[in-house]
Amino acid sequence: MDNEILIKATELTDVAELGMQKEYDIKVASIKDEYEQKKSAIYGVTLAAIIYGFVVTVLKLLSSDRMRNDIAVIFNNVYTFFREVVEANSEIIGDAWSLTNHQDNRACWILLAVFLIILVIVIQLAIAAVVSGAVLVFIFWAYSDGKFDFPMVITMLVSMILIVWVADRLTFVGWNLVVVWILFQVSMIMARGIYEGLLYS
């Protein structure tokens, strides 16, 4: 009788466990589906809010006299800089090539002119390489050491949005606001790197 009771109890326990497991699986699946639906809804709302904020911020930027003026100043300065570099190169190369007008020992003067032109080009390429290398090293340092991570991106975007929306009211700031924003980001990355370096040293 004890064996029969044990067998019957085991059968009833197995049936109960199987029923509870099925009920558990159904409930877990339902919760997962509900979670995925909520996650998709939150993701959709967040993405829509980001797109809306981006569009509104761009429209605000285009309608802001201060921001349009500052951006135009930057592009104008960049264009002027490169135009002056090209003009200066043209003058230097022209002056160097004018040495070939000497009639006495003309081959030597041609070689000298070619040497000066190559020297000017090499010097300018070296300067450009040093500047570009410094920028690339800074970017690599910021990314590789984790200085430019998600919080930094959020800070960058929020600070840019704030500058765009209050640009017309910052009449007491004489500097170019875009340049101020770039300097602010670079300063934050460098300060964070120095702080973490001192913290872990």
Side-chain angles (χ1 to χ4, degrees):
M1 185 176 292
D2 289 340
N3 289 335
E4 291 180 358
I5 292 174
L6 181 60
I7 293 172
K8 190 64 176 178
T10 303
E11 292 176 353
L12 292 175
T13 302
D14 292 340
V15 171
E17 287 183 352
L18 183 61
M20 292 175 64
Q21 184 65 41
K22 288 182 179 180
E23 184 179 352
Y24 172 78
D25 293 338
I26 294 173
K27 192 170 184 179
V28 168
S30 175
I31 293 174
K32 285 184 177 180
D33 290 340
E34 185 179 357
Y35 169 76
E36 292 296 332
Q37 292 175 2
K38 288 183 178 180
K39 186 172 73 172
S40 299
I42 293 174
Y43 179 79
V45 171
T46 304
L47 183 61
I50 291 174
I51 295 174
Y52 173 78
F54 175 77
V55 172
V56 172
T57 303
V58 170
L59 293 176
K60 177 62 178 178
L61 185 147
L62 295 176
S63 64
S64 171
D65 294 333
R66 176 67 182 275
M67 291 303 297
R68 284 182 303 169
N69 180 67
D70 287 352
I71 294 174
V73 167
I74 290 178
F75 279 105
N76 184 56
N77 288 335
V78 172
Y79 167 75
T80 302
F81 172 77
F82 282 106
R83 186 188 65 189
E84 290 179 354
V85 169
V86 171
E87 292 176 352
N89 287 339
S90 301
E91 291 180 4
I92 294 173
I93 293 173
D95 292 340
W97 192 250
S98 66
L99 297 174
T100 61
N101 294 329
H102 291 276
Q103 298 301 324
D104 54 324
N105 206 352
R106 187 177 177 82
C108 290
W109 287 108
I110 291 176
L111 289 175
L112 178 60
V114 171
F115 172 76
L116 292 176
I117 291 172
I118 293 175
L119 182 63
V120 168
I121 294 174
V122 168
I123 291 175
Q124 292 189 355
L125 288 177
I127 295 174
V130 169
V131 174
S132 302
V135 173
L136 291 176
V137 167
F138 176 79
I139 294 174
F140 176 78
W141 170 76
Y143 274 97
S144 62
D145 286 352
K147 308 295 183 302
F148 200 80
D149 51 9
F150 185 72
M152 286 300 301
V153 173
I154 297 298
T155 303
M156 179 181 68
L157 294 176
V158 170
S159 59
M160 187 62 198
I161 291 171
L162 290 176
I163 287 180
V164 169
W165 280 92
V166 301
D168 292 331
R169 300 178 185 178
L170 297 177
T171 55
F172 56 90
V173 180
W175 285 19
N176 190 300
L177 292 181
V178 179
V179 175
V180 171
W181 175 73
I182 294 174
L183 292 176
F184 172 71
Q185 305 307 320
V186 173
S187 300
M188 283 195 61
I189 294 175
M190 294 185 68
R192 180 175 173 181
I194 293 172
Y195 171 75
E196 291 182 356
L198 294 175
L199 187 64
Y200 295 109
S201 63

